[in-house]
mmCIF file of all heavy atoms in Angstrom:
data_model
loop_
_atom_site.group_PDB
_atom_site.id
_atom_site.type_symbol
_atom_site.label_atom_id
_atom_site.label_comp_id
_atom_site.label_asym_id
_atom_site.label_seq_id
_atom_site.Cartn_x
_atom_site.Cartn_y
_atom_site.Cartn_z
ATOM 1 N N LEU A 11 -33.478 114.878 36.025
ATOM 2 C CA LEU A 11 -34.509 115.321 36.960
ATOM 3 C C LEU A 11 -34.515 116.841 37.087
ATOM 4 O O LEU A 11 -35.570 117.479 37.039
ATOM 5 C CB LEU A 11 -34.275 114.670 38.332
ATOM 6 C CG LEU A 11 -35.272 115.063 39.444
ATOM 7 C CD1 LEU A 11 -36.687 114.642 39.057
ATOM 8 C CD2 LEU A 11 -34.856 114.435 40.766
ATOM 9 N N ILE A 12 -33.333 117.404 37.234
ATOM 10 C CA ILE A 12 -33.215 118.869 37.325
ATOM 11 C C ILE A 12 -33.751 119.515 36.053
ATOM 12 O O ILE A 12 -34.469 120.524 36.101
ATOM 13 C CB ILE A 12 -31.748 119.275 37.569
ATOM 14 C CG1 ILE A 12 -31.282 118.790 38.938
ATOM 15 C CG2 ILE A 12 -31.579 120.799 37.457
ATOM 16 C CD1 ILE A 12 -29.793 118.939 39.174
ATOM 17 N N PHE A 13 -33.431 118.906 34.925
ATOM 18 C CA PHE A 13 -33.855 119.468 33.645
ATOM 19 C C PHE A 13 -35.379 119.436 33.482
ATOM 20 O O PHE A 13 -35.980 120.443 33.095
ATOM 21 C CB PHE A 13 -33.197 118.706 32.499
ATOM 22 C CG PHE A 13 -33.651 119.147 31.134
ATOM 23 C CD1 PHE A 13 -33.209 120.339 30.589
ATOM 24 C CD2 PHE A 13 -34.557 118.380 30.407
ATOM 25 C CE1 PHE A 13 -33.638 120.766 29.336
ATOM 26 C CE2 PHE A 13 -34.995 118.787 29.162
ATOM 27 C CZ PHE A 13 -34.541 119.984 28.618
ATOM 28 N N ILE A 14 -36.018 118.290 33.784
ATOM 29 C CA ILE A 14 -37.468 118.186 33.572
ATOM 30 C C ILE A 14 -38.252 119.057 34.548
ATOM 31 O O ILE A 14 -39.381 119.454 34.268
ATOM 32 C CB ILE A 14 -37.958 116.714 33.645
ATOM 33 C CG1 ILE A 14 -37.671 116.094 35.003
ATOM 34 C CG2 ILE A 14 -37.348 115.902 32.524
ATOM 35 C CD1 ILE A 14 -38.295 114.712 35.182
ATOM 36 N N ILE A 15 -37.642 119.366 35.699
ATOM 37 C CA ILE A 15 -38.278 120.295 36.641
ATOM 38 C C ILE A 15 -38.167 121.722 36.123
ATOM 39 O O ILE A 15 -39.112 122.508 36.188
ATOM 40 C CB ILE A 15 -37.642 120.174 38.043
ATOM 41 C CG1 ILE A 15 -37.992 118.811 38.665
ATOM 42 C CG2 ILE A 15 -38.124 121.308 38.952
ATOM 43 C CD1 ILE A 15 -37.252 118.527 39.958
ATOM 44 N N ALA A 16 -37.001 122.068 35.582
ATOM 45 C CA ALA A 16 -36.742 123.447 35.144
ATOM 46 C C ALA A 16 -37.367 123.786 33.793
ATOM 47 O O ALA A 16 -37.800 124.923 33.579
ATOM 48 C CB ALA A 16 -35.237 123.693 35.086
ATOM 49 N N TYR A 17 -37.422 122.816 32.891
ATOM 50 C CA TYR A 17 -37.831 123.113 31.515
ATOM 51 C C TYR A 17 -39.225 123.746 31.401
ATOM 52 O O TYR A 17 -39.375 124.754 30.685
ATOM 53 C CB TYR A 17 -37.743 121.875 30.634
ATOM 54 C CG TYR A 17 -38.080 122.174 29.178
ATOM 55 C CD1 TYR A 17 -37.114 122.702 28.330
ATOM 56 C CD2 TYR A 17 -39.368 121.975 28.688
ATOM 57 C CE1 TYR A 17 -37.410 123.012 27.018
ATOM 58 C CE2 TYR A 17 -39.679 122.285 27.371
ATOM 59 C CZ TYR A 17 -38.698 122.801 26.539
ATOM 60 O OH TYR A 17 -39.009 123.115 25.245
ATOM 61 N N PRO A 18 -40.265 123.203 32.048
ATOM 62 C CA PRO A 18 -41.595 123.833 31.917
ATOM 63 C C PRO A 18 -41.599 125.294 32.367
ATOM 64 O O PRO A 18 -42.252 126.143 31.745
ATOM 65 C CB PRO A 18 -42.485 122.970 32.826
ATOM 66 C CG PRO A 18 -41.789 121.658 32.886
ATOM 67 C CD PRO A 18 -40.327 121.982 32.860
ATOM 68 N N PHE A 19 -40.864 125.585 33.445
ATOM 69 C CA PHE A 19 -40.776 126.968 33.917
ATOM 70 C C PHE A 19 -40.109 127.854 32.872
ATOM 71 O O PHE A 19 -40.578 128.968 32.583
ATOM 72 C CB PHE A 19 -39.990 127.013 35.231
ATOM 73 C CG PHE A 19 -39.673 128.404 35.699
ATOM 74 C CD1 PHE A 19 -40.657 129.217 36.244
ATOM 75 C CD2 PHE A 19 -38.383 128.915 35.572
ATOM 76 C CE1 PHE A 19 -40.362 130.509 36.668
ATOM 77 C CE2 PHE A 19 -38.080 130.206 35.988
ATOM 78 C CZ PHE A 19 -39.086 131.002 36.541
ATOM 79 N N LEU A 20 -39.004 127.377 32.284
ATOM 80 C CA LEU A 20 -38.297 128.162 31.270
ATOM 81 C C LEU A 20 -39.190 128.428 30.066
ATOM 82 O O LEU A 20 -39.198 129.537 29.512
ATOM 83 C CB LEU A 20 -37.028 127.420 30.829
ATOM 84 C CG LEU A 20 -35.957 127.197 31.896
ATOM 85 C CD1 LEU A 20 -34.811 126.369 31.340
ATOM 86 C CD2 LEU A 20 -35.440 128.522 32.445
#
Side-chain angles (χ1 to χ4, degrees):
L11 179 62
I12 294 170
F13 176 75
I14 61 173
I15 292 172
Y17 184 82
F19 172 74
L20 297 176

